Amino acid sequence: MEKIVVKGGKKLSGEVNISAAKNSVLPIIAATILSKENIELENIPMLEDVLVICNLLSGLNCDLEIMDEKIKINTSKLIPVDANSELIRKMRASFLIMGPMLARFGYCKLSLPGGCNIGSRPIDLHLKGFKALGAEINIGHGYVEAKVDRLKGNRIYLDFPSVGATENIIMAAVLAEGTTIIENAAEEPEIWDLAEFLNSMGANIVGAGTGKITIEGVDHLGGIKYQPIYDRIEAGTFMISAAITNSRIKINGINGEHLRPLIEKLKECGINFEELGESVIVDGTGPKKPVDIKTLPYPGFPTDMQPQMMSLLCLIEGSSIVTETIFENRFMHVAELTRMGAKIKIDGRTAFIEGVNKLTGCEVKATDLRAGAAMILVGLVAEGTTEIGDIYHIDRGYQDIEKKFRGLGADIERIKY
């Protein structure tokens, strides 16, 4: 067992490098199933989720080599067998292999997916898309089975702009016969990145990153060397670290447009930014004001930054309101924050926050991935010592987070107990 121990009160300074986006890397790794040629991915964070999906592909007879921050993959020997149920349950993104497996083999059987317990994330929109492309779907005994002779293009309207469903349908449609149009598609940067990866291999995808995506099916995808986009959520977490510790730091590896919803909200708080191409200097040394946030699908404020933003708002004098519209259980970190002295009241999907002068370190838990990041952030400024348990959640989305914070001057370490 491990935990992260943070001693508060240290100012941050220096610079930090951001890894590739986990939420881009996972679907891109799944998409390698669509090609029988060599693929090399660069600047890849060796996160638990990345290792899980790599192990999943290795278990399906893929040649896969991990070295430093690179992954080499060749799926030419891939076999169409039932995927390992334990690995699928361990990480929700494993379900993203269903689209490419259907496209390549016309068959896939997976156990129902798992992941962070932050709310309902049904797979019905994924299955709706596969059905529209001609697949026969059967669900029972904890499994989903899909089969088809060959997928055929169709017009698909998503009831909600689901990121996972959009990605899965894109991957299924790339090798389908004819034209597929996805309407009300998710617009996240990671959708654009997946399409850019596939197009670089020979796919014909237009409109990714907008609400309407058109895919012309092709017969073959080639090999490629590719670097996914930077992780906007990791970058955002470090932006808030500068704000919460009243510090000034430089963050290397950002796309300002991908982070615009967060940057503008932090500016409203009183945080200053100097954008320098793929880097940004974040100055959190000035006075701060409370703000209200409401999570929405991109380009709205990201739900994956809500817990970290709440950690900052807890320490800003005045009243703030946080409304969570994406996941119904994404306030589990509130109980941990109140243990440290935060004043937060919950009414349904809305949190009412009264800023306090200080928080006090204690034992807390990472109730999910982004909540764990929020616990580290408040630990940086809390009086005394904060001990964070269940850090396996954190390791699913941040590579060497304690080392990166130590590089900025934080008093933080990972210990075994």
Side-chain angles (χ1 to χ4, degrees):
M1 299 285 285
E2 293 182 324
K3 61 183 174 182
I4 290 177
V5 179
V6 191
K7 294 181 180 178
K10 291 285 188 78
K11 285 262 190 172
L12 304 182
S13 62
E15 54 189 273
V16 62
N17 297 324
I18 301 302
S19 301
K22 180 195 84 158
N23 290 337
S24 269
V25 171
L26 297 179
I28 284 173
I29 291 176
T32 64
I33 292 171
L34 295 166
S35 172
K36 297 180 182 180
E37 299 185 18
N38 293 327
I39 294 170
E40 185 173 330
L41 305 176
E42 300 179 321
N43 192 36
I44 305 301
M46 291 302 120
L47 304 169
E48 179 65 22
D49 279 8
V50 173
L51 296 177
V52 167
I53 199 164
C54 285
N55 289 337
L56 186 62
L57 291 188
S58 293
L60 295 174
N61 207 38
C62 295
D63 291 328
L64 194 147
E65 181 182 359
I66 298 174
M67 46 187 179
D68 297 325
E69 295 184 337
K70 294 182 180 179
I71 301 177
K72 292 183 177 180
I73 305 174
N74 186 297
T75 71
S76 60
K77 299 177 184 176
L78 183 73
I79 51 177
V81 298
D82 297 350
N84 183 291
S85 299
E86 181 181 350
L87 290 174
I88 291 292
R89 286 193 296 266
K90 192 172 184 179
M91 185 187 66
R92 180 177 179 80
S94 301
F95 195 73
L96 288 172
I97 72 169
M98 179 163 272
M101 290 288 281
L102 259 182
R104 181 159 165 184
F105 296 111
Y107 177 80
C108 188
K109 182 179 180 181
L110 299 177
S111 65
L112 293 170
C116 279
N117 186 26
I118 56 177
S120 175
R121 293 184 285 180
I123 58 171
D124 58 323
L125 294 180
H126 300 242
L127 303 183
K128 174 183 178 179
F130 298 152
K131 286 180 181 178
L133 296 175
E136 178 186 333
I137 306 293
N138 294 300
I139 302 176
H141 305 290
Y143 287 88
V144 178
E145 183 181 46
K147 54 187 176 180
V148 67
D149 289 332
R150 184 181 179 186
L151 296 171
K152 294 186 178 181
N154 201 349
R155 182 180 292 268
I156 301 165
Y157 178 85
L158 297 180
D159 300 325
F160 177 83
S162 162
V163 173
T166 301
E167 291 168 340
N168 230 341
I169 295 167
I170 287 173
M171 291 186 285
V174 162
L175 298 180
E177 180 183 336
T179 304
T180 298
I181 298 174
I182 308 173
E183 296 177 305
N184 198 30
E187 300 180 21
E188 273 74 1
E190 293 78 15
I191 302 291
W192 172 88
D193 201 26
L194 173 63
E196 187 75 3
F197 171 71
L198 291 168
N199 282 341
S200 298
M201 294 195 297
N204 187 353
I205 305 168
V206 177
T210 74
K212 182 178 179 180
I213 302 173
T214 302
I215 305 120
E216 295 286 346
V218 298
D219 294 325
H220 170 80
L221 294 180
I224 189 178
K225 180 182 289 186
Y226 192 80
Q227 180 173 315
I229 59 173
Y230 295 112
D231 193 324
R232 60 193 171 101
I233 306 303
E234 183 188 19
T237 299
F238 280 99
M239 287 178 179
I240 290 180
S241 77
I244 202 169
T245 61
N246 299 308
S247 302
R248 188 174 187 270
I249 66 172
K250 183 180 181 183
I251 302 171
N252 301 318
I254 71 150
N255 182 313
E257 292 310 305
H258 295 171
L259 284 154
R260 193 60 53 200
L262 174 64
I263 288 174
E264 293 306 316
K265 190 56 69 170
L266 286 173
K267 284 181 178 179
E268 191 179 328
C269 264
I271 313 306
N272 293 313
F273 291 83
E274 182 181 351
E275 296 184 44
L276 308 166
E278 291 191 344
S279 298
V280 63
I281 295 173
V282 187
D283 187 347
T285 59
K288 298 172 184 65
K289 299 178 293 185
V291 297
D292 297 342
I293 65 170
K294 181 178 183 179
T295 64
L296 290 166
Y298 188 87
F301 191 91
T303 181
D304 278 355
M305 286 304 308
Q306 180 258 106
Q308 301 94 308
M309 191 70 183
M310 186 182 289
S311 70
L312 171 63
L313 297 177
C314 286
L315 289 160
I316 296 178
E317 182 180 356
S319 301
S320 299
I321 299 174
V322 174
T323 303
E324 173 60 56
T325 72
I326 308 298
F327 296 124
E328 66 271 21
N329 292 340
R330 199 151 215 177
F331 282 151
M332 292 189 293
H333 52 282
V334 169
E336 305 303 302
L337 289 171
T338 55
R339 282 169 53 79
M340 301 178 74
K343 292 184 178 179
I344 308 170
K345 292 184 178 180
I346 302 295
D347 183 5
R349 292 195 176 194
T350 303
F352 299 90
I353 304 165
E354 288 294 329
V356 296
N357 292 326
K358 68 174 184 178
L359 296 175
T360 304
C362 63
E363 291 187 6
V364 294
K365 293 181 179 180
T367 53
D368 62 67
L369 167 54
R370 306 307 174 184
M375 293 302 103
I376 290 176
L377 292 173
V378 293
L380 294 174
V381 292
E383 287 190 354
T385 301
T386 301
E387 297 186 2
I388 305 163
D390 292 351
I391 62 172
Y392 59 88
H393 285 301
I394 300 173
D395 291 340
R396 289 185 48 243
Y398 296 91
Q399 180 178 14
D400 298 330
I401 191 169
E402 73 280 3
K403 293 180 183 178
K404 289 187 176 183
F405 272 119
R406 272 203 305 274
L408 294 171
D411 189 341
I412 179 173
E413 61 180 339
R414 178 185 298 249
I415 64 172
K416 296 190 176 191
Y417 67 98

